[in-house]
Amino acid sequence: MKTITVGITAHVDSGKTTLAEAMLYTSGQMRKLGRVDDGSSSLDTDSIERERGITIFAHQAEFTAGETRVMLLDTPGHVDFSSETERTMSVLDYAVLVISGTDGVQSHTATLWKLLRQYEVPVFIFVNKMDLITADKGAILSELRRRLSSDCCDFSGEDVEISENAAACSEELMETYLSSGGLSDADISRAIAQRRLFPCFFGSALKMQGIERFIEILDRFTAEPQRLTEFGASVYKISYDAKGTRLTHLKINGGRLSVRDELTYTDSEGSAVSGKVSSVRFYSGEKFSTAECANAGEICSVTGLSGTYSGQGLGCSQNSAAAMLEPIMTYRVGLPKERSVYDILDDLRRLEDEDPQLHIVWNEQLREIHIQLMGAVQLEVLTKRIEMKYGYKVSFEDGAITYRETIRSAVEGVGHYEPLRHYAEVHLLIEPLERGRGLEFRTDCPEDDLDRNWQRLILTHLKEKAHIGVLTGSPVTDIRFTLKAGRAHLKHTEGGDFRQATYRAVRQGIRSAESILLEPYYDYELEVPSESVGRAISDLQHFGAEFDQPETEGEMSVIKGSAPVSEIGTYQLDVNGYTKGRGRLTCTFSGYRECHDSERVIADIGYDCDSDIENSADSVFCSHGAGYVVKWNEVPEHMHLPSCMAEEAPEDKPDTARIRRFAERTASDEELMAIFERTYGKLDRDPRRAFKKTKAVQPDTKNVKLPEYEGPDYLLVDGYNIIFAWDALKKIAAENLDAARSELINMMCSYQGCTGYEIIVVFDAYKVKGRHRDIEKYYNISIVYTKESETADSYIERVSHELSKKHRVMVATSDGLEQMIILGNGAMRWTAAELYERYRAAGEAMKEYMN
């Protein structure tokens, strides 16, 4: 018995789920026929699906048709959930495209046909609702051949008619038909599998007309694809059952998957993961049966695997290509006051795990969650799902089109990160690609210059983050990033240094380039009465749309072209108005193109790239023991490696070049001495007793350009961090926190009098309900109490970034993560112990002076 995977897909309300129910009932898989309209469908298992009467999630079932075991996947029909449909197409052997006999080829039908062609899925077409009086078989078949493919062939007759109709659709089949007097089932099956023939069948799923015959057609004219002998599987969906168990839905492409098998794979973050299969499930609607193994060709769900994701290949199977459909709308999530923003973010991340096209974007600077999705219906369903699953309500505000950014021409991006005891420099060649290519990452850096491990780490950092543009803060696309050069220090470089350098190199390159704003476009087909053509063309010109010469078909005219989604997305309502319901607009997503009114969009969004401290284009260099920030446009004057876009000098002989590069990499003692002397002054002692210097070729060096500081030096103190780090204050805080806070403030007042620093002590009040930020002046220092939902860390990070532009800034904290961010802002870091020693030393100096 052969095993095939068949997916049913259609425009919404074409009767797709009704057909699936009828096939399961006719084949004996179900004893009772379910109905979509009364919520008794066995495939629409979710309560929201039954309430709305539409399919939202792909559901699995199984039935037997003659000698064929059919693994059936019922997919969503609404355009807002088309990403779920697209993910399912990657694992299909065949598809059944359902067409409404009264509506014909609709807007989403054209999109589905395009996806099926992209994934090279053989298609059977079932024209439904033929029991209705307005259904015209001849007209529908003609429309299918005109709008989908001329190879659409009527298979609703007897065997002789099927053979003749198939031969008429293909020259190769016609030659076989004439030479042998007919066509065998194998000849027709081969043509269908090669997408040279698209069988069309006519019937009524609701009235059970033609269902048995259609199942017979599937059995006769499908062939099981060749399976792999080695284990391989494709993941097409992630979900969670009623108990919260994570399910990985996959198709076995080859070999066998058994319970307790251990799989090793790479997760979406690029990390190696090992997981053991704890159970194998075969679903039919919401019910499932367990088995010890799943064989090649079967669709199953497994538990025990973490880090899997839709489109992932396991075993010998490769990952699927990037999805064609992308979310085109973005909203800001309105959060309930009684819930922590981080808890809500975790909940939404879990939903994103189930639907990868549900893009969750976290804005750390504004503490806001933004979400990208397909449309209004998906938004309503998502609101309901969150309320039912997590018990709270969210709102979605400021809906807008999702934009993308790219660059006009190639540019070099340089990122340097060198606060004291850290070092990394990265040079990237950033080049534009053709529209729709997405992002590409590669390396062209000699391993003699930068070790392979560092190069891999840089590529990982390039891929791990959604890099944003400088015009609107939208994600960048259609760009190739090539690592051309980089430098590490033998003793001072850590992994996090290259993360900082890589992010800054990307941002600096994009900041230096001419950026282009992209917006989503639709390919459209507008059918209106001939007398309405003038109005239609006027509207399309106003939209900035492109269109071909109108084609006349009887009393109707058809206009084809492309237009921005922002302009034509709701145009169907206008078409219905001026054509009195006779007009029809069909739109399919065609990708991103240059924005037609970019100046207005950029001004409306109002994004300031230089104020985005989370995505800085500036670099950090070191001088006199302190890190200082160099603006993005001045980085080429300070960088340590030559430009990767400069004209290359004549190459050294191979042996000489290798020796030179090795010497540069190992000349650490001399560099350490240079750093020491820049920090503490030149050593004046017997050179024979000094460090032994190694002769080495130094990289291109330039005079260090120090920032010109204005006014006093600033010291920012993380109050509670210091209190619980100093033993004396910690002991006081155990009994009375207010007393410990007062003692620290008094100590800082004394320290300010000794040093003259402008001291700001910051206390964390983010958990205090209704709290507004308070700033007090206490004698000679400033005291800040942060507002609700604002941590002391975030306040210090923001203020240190602003003050470092004109002042020397020190920050006292023992928070390791905060220290790294502070270094990136160009401020000096003091640990709690270091502040205490400085305070104690200042006190001793003051006593000595007074005596």
Side-chain angles (χ1 to χ4, degrees), residues 112 124 219 292 401 448 544 627 633 720 735 737 804 807 823 841:
L112 294 171
F124 288 81
D219 177 37
E292 283 297 313
I401 294 294
D448 285 345
N633 55 333
Y720 289 126
E735 299 180 1
L737 184 60
S804 295
H807 303 272
L823 289 173

Side-chain angles (χ1 to χ4, degrees), residues 111-341:
T111 301
L112 294 171
W113 187 258
K114 183 178 179 180
L115 288 172
L116 291 167
R117 182 174 60 247
Q118 174 71 21
Y119 287 94
E120 299 181 345
V121 181
V123 182
F124 288 81
I125 298 174
F126 186 90
V127 182
N128 194 25
K129 303 183 181 180
M130 292 303 296
D131 57 313
L132 301 180
I133 193 171
T134 55
D136 185 337
K137 176 180 176 180
I140 289 293
L141 187 59
S142 176
E143 183 181 16
L144 293 175
R145 289 171 174 167
R146 175 173 54 87
R147 301 189 63 183
L148 298 185
S149 171
S150 59
D151 296 326
C152 292
C153 178
D154 185 5
F155 267 49
S156 60
E158 299 299 325
D159 291 354
V160 175
E161 294 179 79
I162 291 176
S163 184
E164 291 176 353
N165 293 340
C169 289
S170 168
E171 293 183 5
E172 183 179 342
L173 291 178
M174 179 61 75
E175 292 178 1
T176 305
Y177 180 84
L178 294 176
S179 62
S180 60
L183 294 175
S184 66
D185 288 358
D187 294 330
I188 297 175
S189 297
R190 190 179 307 109
I192 295 172
Q194 295 172 355
R195 287 181 53 86
R196 293 187 290 109
L197 194 64
F198 302 101
C200 302
F201 201 85
F202 299 82
S204 171
L206 185 61
K207 298 295 181 62
M208 302 295 290
Q209 295 175 4
I211 303 302
E212 189 171 351
R213 175 64 172 163
F214 183 61
I215 292 176
E216 180 187 342
I217 292 293
L218 285 178
D219 177 37
R220 286 181 56 189
F221 298 114
T222 55
E224 183 172 9
Q226 185 176 1
R227 308 298 183 189
L228 303 172
T229 56
E230 185 181 354
F231 168 73
S234 298
V235 179
Y236 70 92
K237 180 182 174 181
I238 304 296
S239 68
Y240 294 84
D241 65 11
K243 296 181 179 180
T245 304
R246 191 177 194 271
L247 300 175
T248 300
H249 301 261
L250 45 82
K251 178 184 179 181
I252 309 298
N253 299 322
R256 170 182 294 185
L257 181 64
S258 302
V259 177
R260 293 179 294 278
D261 280 354
E262 187 164 349
L263 303 179
T264 301
Y265 47 90
T266 302
D267 64 12
S268 58
E269 301 296 329
S271 303
V273 178
S274 181
K276 181 179 291 186
V277 176
S278 56
S279 70
V280 176
R281 302 180 182 181
F282 291 94
Y283 273 85
S284 183
E286 60 184 347
K287 299 179 181 179
F288 67 88
S289 60
T290 59
E292 283 297 313
C293 66
N295 298 309
E298 294 183 332
I299 296 286
C300 66
S301 304
V302 301
T303 61
L305 302 183
S306 61
T308 50
Y309 56 92
S310 177
Q312 180 181 26
L314 301 176
C316 65
S317 296
Q318 300 296 317
N319 289 354
S320 300
M324 289 180 57
L325 301 180
E326 297 182 15
I328 59 174
M329 298 296 295
T330 182
Y331 296 85
R332 181 172 61 86
V333 182
L335 307 174
K337 294 182 179 180
E338 65 274 10
R339 294 279 180 145
S340 165
V341 62

Side-chain angles (χ1 to χ4, degrees), residues 557-834:
S557 294
V558 178
I559 306 174
K560 298 179 181 179
S562 59
V565 171
S566 60
E567 301 288 354
I568 204 171
T570 59
Y571 186 52
Q572 179 67 59
L573 299 176
D574 294 337
V575 173
N576 292 339
Y578 70 75
T579 65
K580 298 180 180 180
R582 298 169 61 195
R584 180 170 61 179
L585 176 67
T586 302
C587 295
T588 58
F589 179 69
S590 62
Y592 279 81
R593 306 182 194 176
E594 191 164 345
C595 184
H596 73 291
D597 59 346
S598 57
E599 291 185 4
R600 180 192 63 81
V601 174
I602 293 171
D604 288 346
I605 293 177
Y607 174 71
D608 184 1
C609 61
D610 291 326
S611 297
D612 187 352
I613 61 175
E614 299 295 328
N615 298 279
S616 177
D618 304 335
S619 284
V620 179
F621 288 79
C622 183
S623 179
H624 297 294
Y628 66 96
V629 175
V630 173
K631 297 297 292 181
W632 63 271
N633 55 333
E634 299 176 0
V635 170
E637 301 175 11
H638 296 75
M639 62 189 188
H640 293 175
L641 295 174
S643 170
C644 66
M645 298 188 72
E647 294 185 5
E648 295 184 359
E651 294 187 358
D652 297 330
K653 294 181 180 180
D655 291 342
T656 306
R658 185 175 293 108
I659 293 171
R660 174 179 56 81
R661 286 193 289 263
F662 180 79
E664 290 177 354
R665 294 169 57 202
T666 56
S668 59
D669 286 343
E670 188 171 37
E671 292 171 4
L672 288 172
M673 179 62 71
I675 292 173
F676 184 90
E677 291 182 348
R678 286 201 304 268
T679 306
Y680 302 104
K682 191 172 182 61
L683 291 175
D684 185 14
R685 57 175 174 166
D686 187 354
R688 288 176 296 179
R689 300 180 61 184
F691 294 133
K692 182 180 180 181
K693 295 185 179 182
T694 304
K695 294 183 179 180
V697 180
Q698 293 292 337
D700 293 343
T701 58
K702 297 181 174 69
N703 293 330
V704 177
K705 184 179 179 181
L706 294 174
E708 297 180 0
Y709 292 123
E710 301 177 2
D713 294 345
Y714 278 81
L715 171 61
L716 302 177
V717 180
D718 188 340
Y720 289 126
N721 182 279
I722 298 300
I723 286 175
F724 291 103
W726 289 3
D727 292 338
L729 294 180
K730 185 176 181 181
K731 186 177 297 184
I732 298 174
E735 299 180 1
N736 189 325
L737 184 60
D738 289 337
R741 188 165 53 233
S742 299
E743 181 65 18
L744 175 63
I745 292 172
N746 291 329
M747 295 170 74
M748 290 299 101
C749 286
S750 301
Y751 187 55
Q752 195 279 335
C754 297
T755 61
Y757 294 150
E758 287 289 336
I759 298 180
I760 303 175
V761 183
V762 184
F763 291 106
D764 208 330
Y766 80 102
K767 291 185 178 179
V768 181
K769 296 295 182 183
R771 180 90 192 197
H772 300 284
R773 184 187 301 122
D774 295 329
I775 302 177
E776 302 176 358
K777 192 70 176 180
Y778 184 81
Y779 292 105
N780 52 349
I781 69 172
S782 298
I783 305 170
V784 176
Y785 298 91
T786 63
K787 61 183 180 181
E788 180 185 357
S789 299
E790 181 183 40
T791 64
D793 294 355
S794 61
Y795 180 84
I796 291 173
E797 290 163 15
R798 185 171 65 256
V799 172
S800 66
H801 174 76
E802 294 299 324
L803 292 176
S804 295
K805 296 177 181 179
K806 296 183 179 181
H807 303 272
R808 188 183 300 277
V809 180
M810 292 74 68
V811 177
T813 179
S814 291
D815 187 321
L817 179 60
E818 185 180 358
Q819 288 180 350
M820 292 295 293
I821 297 174
I822 291 164
L823 289 173
N825 289 344
M828 296 178 64
R829 60 177 180 180
W830 290 356
T831 64
E834 187 174 359

